[in-house]
Amino acid sequence: MTGKLILEAIPRVYDVTRAVQVMGIDGTMAQAVVDPSIQQAHQQVTPQGIVPNAPSADPETIADVRGAILAINPSIGRYDVVADVGPSWASQTQETFNALMQVVQADPMLIQKCGDLLFRSAPFPLASEIADRLKPASDDPQATALQQQLQQAQQLIAQLQQQLKDKQQDFS
């Protein structure tokens, strides 16, 4: 409905010549000119002017004429809108989960690094709870502080062991 309302407003809003981006049926982006002064609904134009005897609707002809783009008069002709919402959220979640499963199956060690992401995208009950439990400890400030203390203690132990070895060699 919104698209149809916008289509009705375009001839009123685009009342002067301007360049716009358009998307073709195949999803490719191209340049076009909205020109309310041309005498046809659409035609091919180049920087030098109108392309003679070129059917504007033929994309191959447009591609053949270097620098030619489509000019459109929005107040002539009939236009329509097509909405594409893409895959549903459930489909996207399932696709993400399947892709992550393939990656983890190829390298099982990755479950330690991204297991929480795998389960966050899993489409079954309790998956988010599993993801929370697998979340790396580095995200928890207390766990990070404890890991730092542990590393410092290990360094201190290594220094003390080295000092002990040095003292034992002095007495030998």
Side-chain angles (χ1 to χ4, degrees):
M1 181 69 173
T2 303
K4 297 223 182 241
L5 290 173
I6 291 171
L7 275 178
E8 288 178 25
I10 285 176
R12 294 172 186 89
V13 174
Y14 288 87
D15 56 351
V16 295
T17 303
R18 63 183 78 194
V20 295
Q21 285 272 332
V22 294
M23 183 184 304
I25 273 186
D26 61 353
T28 58
M29 298 299 289
Q31 293 286 328
V33 173
V34 176
D35 186 352
S37 67
I38 61 174
Q39 301 303 309
Q40 300 174 9
H42 53 83
Q43 61 190 28
Q44 243 183 343
V45 296
T46 66
Q48 294 77 33
I50 297 171
V51 176
N53 302 323
S56 302
D58 182 9
E60 292 177 9
T61 305
I62 293 172
D64 289 345
V65 181
R66 242 185 217 130
I69 58 175
L70 187 60
I72 301 166
N73 183 342
S75 57
I76 300 175
R78 292 180 51 199
Y79 300 92
D80 203 357
V81 154
V82 176
D84 181 10
V85 296
S88 71
W89 180 254
S91 297
Q92 290 177 17
T93 302
Q94 186 66 49
E95 288 176 18
T96 302
F97 180 72
N98 291 343
L100 287 172
M101 280 298 294
Q102 289 177 351
V103 169
V104 169
Q105 286 173 349
D107 185 359
M109 295 301 293
L110 284 175
I111 196 78
Q112 296 172 0
K113 294 186 182 215
C114 67
D116 61 318
L117 297 176
L118 171 72
F119 283 98
R120 191 132 348 257
S121 69
F124 53 81
L126 298 177
S128 61
E129 285 81 0
I130 296 170
D132 290 341
R133 291 180 183 195
L134 289 175
K135 194 171 187 178
S138 62
D139 290 348
D140 180 10
Q142 285 182 330
T144 303
L146 288 173
Q147 284 179 341
Q148 289 174 348
Q149 288 178 354
L150 179 62
Q151 287 175 349
Q152 290 172 351
Q154 288 173 338
Q155 289 173 352
L156 181 60
I157 290 170
Q159 289 173 356
L160 291 172
Q161 286 176 336
Q162 186 60 42
Q163 288 176 2
L164 181 60
K165 272 187 187 175
D166 292 344
K167 293 290 181 183
Q168 287 175 344
Q169 287 177 353
D170 287 346
F171 289 116
S172 339

